[in-house]
Amino acid sequence: MKRIPLGARLDMAEKAEAAGFSFHTMYGEPYWDEETAYAFTLRQIEDDIEDPSTALHAMCREAVAEIVKSEELMQRLAIPREHWDLVAESWQSGAPELYGRFDLIYDGQGPAKMIEYNADTPTALFESASFQWDWLEDMIRNGALPEGTDQFNGIYEALTARFAQISPAGTHIHFTAFADSPEDYATVEMMAYAARAADMGAHFVNLPEIGVTDTGQFADAEGRVIGTLFKLYPWEDLLRDDFATHLAGAQCRYLEPAWKAVVSNKGLLPVLWQMFEGHPNLLPSFFADDLDAGSDAVTRAEDALARGVVRKPVFSREGASISIRQGDAVIEDATVRDYDAHPMIAQAYHEMPVFDGFRPVIGTWIVGETCVGMGLREDRSRITQDLSRFKPHYILD
Amino acid sequence: MTASRPLKRTRIMPAILLGATAFALAGCKDDAVEANAFPDKASCEAAANAGTVAFTVQDCDAAYQDALVEYERSAPRYDDQALCEEQHGGACVVDERAAGGGGSIFMPLMAGYLMGSMLGGNRAMTQPLYRDAGGKFATAGGGTVLNGNRGSARMQPSSFRAAPAAAAPMSRATVSKTGGFGSSRTSSFGSSRSFGG
């Protein structure tokens, strides 16, 4: 794993504008940054990143089976009691998952460490699946990278195949997000491209314009009934909104399914550690009150915890409300504190590698149950926030 | 570099244009399909034997069986026999599978079935038909209403997706309320409009 100064394409900005990738620069800072790129060996990709990510997803599925039958865990994950059945039934009926993204810390050797699983509303899908792919093609065409250079990025193909696998051809799928958030909307559009390639009907509805009919079904802004809803809006919020009472009876299929509420929840991390203590791709994690109370498991993790503890709320996006402490000393605190009011978990801090002053986090994409690609973001800070830069990657050998 | 190793990236990637095309077809209508209505299985088989439809006798039987299953599942139910007969212009029967409770549940007889060629599938789409109060024939949700229970027509595939209390996806519905999603209560500020991570 190396950070290589390849230089940006001369026409990068034009390419981005032509693709409608308007947020390649945000707040005057580059968001998409191809001045440098990360290079990996095939062995690093396959053995250290791809296979462990697929295995982690399987472990998460095992954890879901445990969580949905435990009232105690459902409570600790702050799933509203009135929706426990909705969540549990979506799991028991085998409602299929579509996609997710693990965030891993990896330095080129040794096991990658999972820091969290964005299993419900991961973004950066366009950057990972499409713009990164185009970048590699251009770099090969320009002669900046040799013919035959590859990239771990089968995301688009896998999404198309997954749509075809879980829905009959011709199924109408409504996609929803906030239309005025360009990053969210781009992810939804990318998803819609894959759905259409799988012969699905793709329709967009702005989230606040979703309506409920007399019979309790959801409808779009034109009053058309929604049969399948891809929502780039987290389950923890859906379950607390005014329309939450209609979710179970709306005869609507949700993507992601409701059981993702317990996966895309930092409370998953202590459950995984409890079930798979010592797994090389996991970091010791505890519910914050369990850590403070102490236990045999906490004692066994003492060394790792002494290097630092990351506290995160069970719900949080873009690094909000995360703090990193070593003993009483603050290593780093998120400036955005929107999620401070929620129950916290504590995870052993794993020092991130530093490349030219930047700390990369590897996002691995899961489609269905398999890891199919990756994208990197880097930041000078230890907490990857919403202004972290997206970095393209390629495979060296 | 060996040429034989499969690529680890998407082989053929279409040009993705944000903000323009992903939902461009949203306004388009469903493609209509050829649909036939039959009062019973025998008339379907007769039409199949006569070669006037694209179905085989086996298709007739399979579709009839599917229609029966759908009938059991989604036929309109009433707790009052007179109301059922009024709504369906004729005889209603007791729902044998509705167990216990205070009294009997009534359902109309199946008055035929709709059969449509499946788009890309090998089994015909089908829906049971019921008489309505006006003497016409309708699917359970009332989404499709026919003058007779015999004949053929071009119909939207959604005509076949009716369910009892639920309207088919994409069918027009009366929206009673909007704005019930999006308050994002887990974020104390609610200022962020981005929900990805």
Side-chain angles (χ1 to χ4, degrees), chain A residues 177-313:
Chain A
F178 280 107
D180 55 7
S181 164
E183 303 117 279
D184 289 7
Y185 189 67
T187 287
V188 158
E189 283 189 290
M190 186 71 226
M191 198 55 98
Y193 267 99
R196 278 183 47 192
D199 293 325
M200 306 294 144
H203 313 273
F204 181 76
V205 54
N206 197 15
L207 184 74
E209 288 172 25
I210 292 179
V212 68
T213 70
D214 297 342
T215 56
Q217 288 184 284
F218 295 125
D220 66 17
E222 289 153 70
R224 295 176 303 195
V225 169
I226 298 174
T228 300
L229 183 65
F230 173 93
K231 37 111 233 126
L232 198 83
Y233 182 70
W235 270 109
E236 68 257 23
D237 287 324
L238 280 177
L239 296 178
R240 288 168 173 81
D241 274 345
D242 294 339
F243 278 180
T245 50
H246 299 290
L247 287 164
Q251 310 226 19
C252 181
R253 179 194 211 190
Y254 306 106
L255 293 172
E256 298 299 311
W259 58 264
K260 281 291 186 85
V262 308
V263 188
S264 182
N265 180 309
K266 308 296 186 292
L268 173 79
L269 298 167
V271 176
L272 282 174
W273 185 251
Q274 203 180 344
M275 293 175 69
F276 304 101
E277 185 179 331
H279 189 285
N281 300 114
L282 294 179
L283 292 167
S285 299
F286 303 92
F287 290 103
D289 44 357
D290 287 350
L291 177 75
D292 298 339
S295 69
D296 289 351
V298 170
T299 308
R300 287 194 295 275
E302 222 165 43
D303 290 351
L305 294 167
R307 287 191 285 273
V309 173
V310 186
R311 284 185 189 248
K312 328 181 188 196

Side-chain angles (χ1 to χ4, degrees), chain A residues 184 189 193 217 240-241 342, chain B residues 8 19 21 167 183 185-186 195:
Chain A
D184 289 7
E189 283 189 290
Y193 267 99
Q217 288 184 284
R240 288 168 173 81
D241 274 345
H342 295 290
Chain B
K8 292 199 77 70
T21 49
S183 51
R185 299 216 160 84
T186 63
F195 290 89

Side-chain angles (χ1 to χ4, degrees), chain A residues 237 315 338-339 342, chain B residues 183-192 195:
Chain A
D237 287 324
F315 310 128
D338 290 17
Y339 294 88
H342 295 290
Chain B
S183 51
S184 73
R185 299 216 160 84
T186 63
S187 168
S188 59
F189 295 176
S191 55
S192 163
F195 290 89

